[in-house]
Amino acid sequence: MASQNDQMLQNSISGSNQTNTDASTETTTSSKAKRKPVKPRSEVWDHFTKFVSDEGELKGKCNYCKKDFCCDPKRNGTTALRNHLNSCKKHPHFIETRQAQLSLQKNASDNDVNDLGTLTTWKYDDNAIRKALVHMIIIDELPFRFVEGEGFRSFMTAICPRFRIPSRWTISRDCYDLFIEERSKLKSFFKNNCQRVSLTTDTWTSLQRINYMCITAHFIDNDWKLHKRIINFCPISSHKGEAVGRAIETCLLEWGLDKVFTVTVDNASSNDVAISYLKKKLANWGVSVANSTYLHMRCMAHIINLVVQDGLKDVNDSVMKVRDAVRYIRSSPARLKRFKECVLHEKIESKSSLCLDVPTRWNSTYLMLNTAQKYERAFERYESQDPMFKIDMGENGIPDYYDWTQVRKMADMLAHFYELTLRISGSRYVTSNLFFSEVSDLAFILNQWINSNDLDMKSMGERMKVKFDKYWGDVDKMNKIIYFAVVLDPRDKFEFMEYSFSQMYGKEKGVELFNKVKSCLFDLFNEYKKMYQPDVEQFNDNSSQQLSGSCSTTGSINPKPKFFLKHHYKKQKLEESGGFDSKTELEVYLSEAIQEEKDDFDIMKWWKINSERFPILGKMARDILAIPVSTVASESAFSTGGRVLDSFRSSLTPKIVEGLICVQNWIRPLNIQVNVEEDLEELEKLEEGMLYTLSYLC
């Protein structure tokens, strides 16, 4: 009985305890249920679900991989959630940075629209994207504020939202850092792949009224590829000769370039002083070739410009009539529209637009005449449709049949100089071997004009010939290096030169000049021979000693004596025929037959293949063929400078300007040709806009 009472008491106690436990559990659960969730304040909650763990900790569960992470705001917040979101492999927008992806990229060199491109690998790289952005800013000549534009930021958000777009200040620093990096690489390239450099230099005044000087280095590397690199674009205090010379000297010292072969400049008198200054410095450095006799190269394009300008001093009335007619039609949009209708009625298929020339630029006069003569019938029809045309033309009148005949003749005459200027203005191909051929052809054309029965042609030819003879009439006043370049062209050699001299200067004087040039060429070759030829006699003595030593030491069979016996046999045969130096490399080269003239002939490839046969002559050709005959390579940098330093970017410092222009030249692909011809219509628009701005400001 007692035991039953004890059991009942124990059950009642345990029941009460169970009731209390259930009550406390219910209370805890109700308190947790009443807890208000924290309102999400981060975008990570679009990818996570918030919950409270059994331990009472606030956590977030990934909606994709179902992993949970602590996100207590008093401890680590949502940092763990953000880190996981960037690495979650089940995230629909996840990009695995450790593994490359496939990408179909269009080939830059292919023009076929049906070509799908090349399949390559790609992976997200923040540094690579930022460097590509810097390249775009430099190559496309964009302002630094471009990266802060709303359109660009919207574009980048759509294609690569993970990339953090830098500010314009950061981009400017990145551009200059790239300049420093590329300059270091180029210095190393000069040291290991450059033999001698030829320079072109010119000066330019920017919109900031700061005088800049550009120095461009031209050289052929060890793989026989021609290079053009801008090594200096900096302010210069004065245009005087000594200031220019010191600036070039400072540039050469900074780059560690002391082996300068030629310097191509225009015909300014200050450049003569600068060249004299450089000759002294190169002599002090002990690196001059032929005592710097061939250092000074005059720009061929500038001399052609002087020759044509003298020929166009007295422009005939027909050219004036065409100029006035073009000016009348271009002065009004309504007139230009009516003229285009006349072109359609006359069924003229030419797509060229009328351009008005700048009287001080002969090439623009040629373009105006060459374009206008195509629309002769349209001008005649326009006369009948616009009664004011004849009245406004005034005393000169409207061009008639005789005037158009004169215009065609003038355009044909100027075409020779225009095409010649284009050929010699290239910087991606060899031009030094073209100099003499172009000059001799020009002399032949001028002589034909002088002997013509046409009085206008005869008068123009005589005026041009006077200026031609001032610069190219005396061989002694010319840099003979241009004749050496012709000889080093395996398609010409001496045969063409001897014939051209007799045609230009007469047979007797031509032979005398030819012998003088030939003597100078052999003198230069002998100097290169001293610089680069190994000591052949020492090699022969060493090989003879090795031969005698190998014969006296042992009677065992050794393969080396076979080489020395063969060498000894060849030496003996050469001595019997006249000695080792009986025929030099230059003489062997000249004795060989000239190469056939082909359109696809590559002179650089020929010398790359044959430089092993002519090691010393190859060194000589490598220096001479790299010489530019015009300063267009440096002048083209001023076109870039004008676009970089426009009216909206005139606050750029000279240091940044130099970095932008130099780095653009260094990272630009080598196969991109620089268009040296200016767009006349764009130039006129620019000039009109500047005049409008000035008139508004005044």
Side-chain angles (χ1 to χ4, degrees), residues 223-252:
D223 199 31
W224 285 90
K225 292 182 180 179
L226 182 64
H227 293 267
K228 181 203 74 170
R229 294 289 184 267
I230 298 175
I231 59 175
N232 193 18
F233 195 94
C234 64
I236 185 172
S237 59
S238 172
H239 290 285
K240 294 182 178 180
E242 289 190 2
V244 174
R246 290 194 189 95
I248 298 176
E249 177 193 6
T250 303
C251 174
L252 294 176

Side-chain angles (χ1 to χ4, degrees), residues 311-369:
L312 294 178
K313 279 184 178 179
D314 299 327
V315 179
N316 57 36
D317 295 336
S318 299
V319 176
M320 297 293 294
K321 288 182 180 181
V322 172
R323 180 180 294 158
D324 293 340
V326 172
R327 182 183 293 110
Y328 176 85
I329 292 175
R330 284 176 52 88
S331 61
S332 168
R335 295 173 182 173
L336 190 59
K337 180 180 179 181
R338 184 179 299 175
F339 181 81
K340 291 181 179 179
E341 294 175 354
C342 295
V343 173
L344 293 176
H345 285 298
E346 293 295 333
K347 298 181 180 180
I348 300 175
E349 297 180 356
S350 177
K351 301 298 182 181
S352 303
S353 59
L354 290 178
C355 56
L356 186 63
D357 71 329
V358 180
T360 56
R361 295 171 56 225
W362 68 268
N363 56 338
S364 65
T365 303
Y366 162 74
L367 294 175
M368 179 190 70
L369 298 179

Side-chain angles (χ1 to χ4, degrees), residues 279-468:
K279 285 183 178 180
K280 296 177 182 177
K281 293 300 177 182
L282 293 177
N284 294 336
W285 297 344
V287 293
S288 61
V289 177
N291 200 21
S292 298
T293 305
Y294 310 114
L295 183 65
H296 191 184
M297 276 289 296
R298 297 185 183 275
C299 176
M300 187 178 182
H302 281 79
I303 297 177
I304 292 174
N305 181 61
L306 296 176
V307 170
V308 180
Q309 290 290 354
D310 278 15
L312 294 178
K313 279 184 178 179
D314 299 327
V315 179
N316 57 36
D317 295 336
S318 299
V319 176
M320 297 293 294
K321 288 182 180 181
V322 172
R323 180 180 294 158
D324 293 340
V326 172
R327 182 183 293 110
Y328 176 85
I329 292 175
R330 284 176 52 88
S331 61
S332 168
R335 295 173 182 173
L336 190 59
K337 180 180 179 181
R338 184 179 299 175
F339 181 81
K340 291 181 179 179
E341 294 175 354
C342 295
V343 173
L344 293 176
H345 285 298
E346 293 295 333
K347 298 181 180 180
I348 300 175
E349 297 180 356
S350 177
K351 301 298 182 181
S352 303
S353 59
L354 290 178
C355 56
L356 186 63
D357 71 329
V358 180
T360 56
R361 295 171 56 225
W362 68 268
N363 56 338
S364 65
T365 303
Y366 162 74
L367 294 175
M368 179 190 70
L369 298 179
N370 188 49
T371 304
Q373 58 94 13
K374 300 176 183 178
Y375 299 107
E376 177 183 354
R377 300 195 309 273
F379 277 102
E380 293 175 354
R381 188 180 188 90
Y382 186 85
E383 179 183 358
S384 62
Q385 295 188 3
D386 188 354
M388 296 299 298
F389 184 36
K390 188 173 183 180
I391 298 174
D392 288 354
M393 288 296 290
E395 298 179 356
N396 290 335
I398 299 174
D400 54 17
Y401 178 78
Y402 172 78
D403 295 322
W404 289 114
T405 303
Q406 293 295 105
V407 164
R408 288 191 181 90
K409 182 176 63 177
M410 180 69 71
D412 292 339
M413 295 173 66
L414 294 179
H416 296 289
F417 298 94
Y418 183 80
E419 294 170 359
L420 169 60
T421 303
L422 292 181
R423 286 194 297 269
I424 65 172
S425 298
S427 58
R428 300 295 184 184
Y429 55 88
V430 178
T431 56
S432 57
N433 63 328
L434 304 176
F435 193 111
F436 178 70
S437 301
E438 299 292 356
V439 169
S440 58
D441 289 346
L442 188 56
F444 179 75
I445 293 172
L446 293 179
N447 288 332
Q448 283 187 329
W449 292 355
I450 293 174
N451 298 325
S452 174
N453 295 327
D454 190 315
L455 296 180
D456 292 334
M457 183 179 292
K458 180 181 179 67
S459 177
M460 179 180 290
E462 290 175 348
R463 291 194 299 269
M464 290 183 175
K465 192 65 166 61
V466 172
K467 185 66 71 174
F468 178 90

Side-chain angles (χ1 to χ4, degrees), residues 520-578:
C520 293
L521 175 62
F522 275 85
D523 291 341
L524 181 62
F525 174 76
N526 291 330
E527 184 168 349
Y528 267 81
K529 190 176 180 180
K530 293 178 181 178
M531 287 190 294
Y532 294 107
Q533 186 181 34
D535 193 355
V536 180
E537 294 182 357
Q538 183 178 359
F539 173 77
N540 293 334
D541 294 340
N542 293 337
S543 57
S544 299
Q545 293 175 3
Q546 293 175 2
L547 174 62
S548 60
S550 62
C551 292
S552 60
T553 50
T554 179
S556 61
I557 299 177
N558 190 349
K560 288 186 177 180
K562 294 182 180 180
F563 168 79
F564 293 121
L565 287 172
K566 186 177 181 180
H567 178 78
H568 184 72
Y569 168 76
K570 288 185 175 182
K571 178 182 176 182
Q572 184 177 355
K573 285 295 183 182
L574 285 171
E575 289 176 350
E576 292 176 358
S577 62

